[in-house]
Amino acid sequence: MRPTDAVLAVTYRCNARCVMCGIWSGRRVAESPPEMYRNLPSSLRSVNITGGEPFLRDDLPEIVEAVRGACRRAEIVLSTNGLMTDRIVEMMRQLDAGPRTLGIAVSVDGIGDKHDEMRGIPDAFVKVQATVRRLAESGLGKVRLAFTATPANVEYFGRVYDLSRQLGVEFTCAVAQSSEHYFQTSDETKSIAPEALRRHVEPVIRSELASFSMKRWGRAYFMYGLLQFYSGMGRPLPCHAGGDFFFVDPTGDVYPCNVLSHVMGNLNEQAFDELWRSERGDRARGGAKACQAGCWMICTARTSMQRHRFRVLAWAIKHKFFPGRPL
């Protein structure tokens, strides 16, 4: 059992003040050196480098180089709030010189003042637009807009999707989650009324299915999973956290996922295979298997969708060619 997907939070420092996340107001922790990331397993095929704001680390190019060296077949995506346009563009010029093009996901949680409100920063929307345009014009990275839905901004789901289409970039999405060890939140105030989520998400699903891109069909299925999960019907596919996926915090602690606070070991202290196969790792995996709350986030959904690709494809074909069927 070798993992194929990982999220690496390389810092908890952040220059935004997002209403759905407590990372910016939480504890400050030691940040692992770039060399630690050479301990990642070569089996990884998807790596998301995030924070906090990863572009606050001066040694981000060295971290990316270490990840590339350890995981030679992995697609690497950098997640950013897009506030530091010049720094992000300049650093991407260095990073994009590598052997494979990087992905860069820029958070957009509304249009105009709504995005500023969600990010807690004046003129945030102006700044993020400048970042996306300069990245796209310069051909730096595979740019995508990343929308996080909450009760306060769910009505902007379709509008941010439309913006991504206008800009010619990809669209990804999530619903805000609580996590004491990662998002540093434990409240349950992020619950979106299922009917409101469906009203704004279903048109985007239909639009993605209208394409002839299997990648977009996969995104449509992920959004369908959001509707299923937040309607109280649970995950449409099983979770393999701690098996196919893991999360690493800035100190090097490894968790089965972003949400569950079960530490498997530390990459600064152990080789990956040692901690992955350790008794502590097995206990953490057991905690993930026993999880009752569940979630539906792309980090764990992606590997489940890959395991059940024919089921996902059958769903997409059915709803593409018979669009009158209820989702």
Side-chain angles (χ1 to χ4, degrees), residues 73-84:
R73 297 175 62 190
E75 177 189 19
I76 301 172
V77 175
L78 297 163
S79 294
T80 177
N81 57 38
L83 295 176
M84 303 180 294

Side-chain angles (χ1 to χ4, degrees), residues 9-287:
V10 298
T11 182
Y12 282 159
R13 289 179 286 149
C14 193
N15 55 339
R17 299 293 180 264
C18 303
V19 299
M20 79 293 282
C21 175
I23 289 177
W24 60 269
S25 62
R27 65 192 184 282
R28 292 292 175 262
V29 300
E31 296 174 358
S32 297
E35 292 73 25
M36 185 204 73
Y37 297 96
R38 298 189 185 279
N39 294 332
L40 292 169
S42 61
S43 57
L44 291 179
R45 297 295 178 265
S46 179
V47 176
N48 181 6
I49 297 177
T50 185
E53 173 51 54
F55 284 91
L56 287 173
R57 285 199 62 159
D58 293 335
D59 57 358
L60 183 60
E62 287 77 18
I63 292 174
V64 172
E65 181 184 358
V67 174
R68 278 174 163 157
C71 317
R72 296 187 181 276
R73 297 175 62 190
E75 177 189 19
I76 301 172
V77 175
L78 297 163
S79 294
T80 177
N81 57 38
L83 295 176
M84 303 180 294
T85 300
D86 291 341
R87 181 178 176 89
I88 291 167
V89 171
E90 192 52 47
M91 206 170 269
M92 281 297 294
R93 292 190 194 281
Q94 302 176 49
L95 296 172
D96 216 41
R100 298 185 68 183
T101 301
L102 294 169
I104 180 164
V106 185
S107 296
V108 179
D109 295 325
I111 304 296
D113 291 344
K114 175 54 70 172
H115 178 72
D116 298 356
E117 173 192 326
M118 297 301 296
R119 291 283 150 177
I121 300 292
D123 298 322
F125 188 67
V126 172
K127 294 172 183 175
V128 82
Q129 281 187 301
T131 299
V132 171
R133 285 201 166 93
R134 284 185 57 187
L135 289 170
E137 289 167 0
S138 303
L140 295 172
K142 297 177 182 177
V143 184
R144 61 199 71 178
L145 303 189
F147 181 86
T148 301
T150 74
N153 72 337
V154 65
E155 71 271 22
Y156 285 84
F157 195 103
R159 293 179 64 183
V160 174
Y161 172 78
D162 290 342
L163 177 63
S164 74
R165 306 304 298 157
Q166 292 165 17
L167 294 172
V169 301
E170 297 180 3
F171 175 81
T172 64
C173 62
V175 171
Q177 294 281 322
S178 294
S179 169
E180 293 183 359
H181 77 82
Y182 178 37
F183 302 114
Q184 298 177 32
T185 56
S186 58
D187 63 271
E188 299 299 327
T189 61
K190 302 184 180 72
S191 180
I192 302 171
E195 62 275 12
L197 190 65
R198 178 171 293 275
R199 184 165 64 253
H200 297 290
V201 173
E202 186 165 331
V204 177
I205 294 176
R206 301 289 186 188
S207 177
E208 291 292 87
L209 287 174
S211 75
F212 284 90
S213 164
M214 292 183 68
K215 187 173 185 179
R216 290 176 65 184
W217 293 0
R219 289 207 184 97
Y221 186 89
F222 173 74
M223 292 180 227
Y224 156 75
L226 290 177
L227 298 184
Q228 291 286 100
F229 184 82
Y230 289 98
S231 295
M233 301 173 69
R235 294 173 59 104
L237 297 173
C239 177
H240 300 282
D244 294 341
F245 172 81
F246 62 90
F247 167 81
V248 184
D249 78 5
T251 70
D253 278 345
V254 178
Y255 297 80
C257 71
N258 309 31
V259 175
L260 296 176
S261 300
H262 302 297
V263 178
M264 307 180 80
N266 187 285
L267 275 180
N268 284 301
E269 301 168 0
Q270 298 167 277
F272 182 84
D273 284 347
E274 179 186 344
L275 73 82
W276 196 245
R277 297 169 181 168
S278 68
E279 182 178 339
R280 191 181 186 190
D282 287 340
R283 284 199 305 270
R285 240 184 315 273

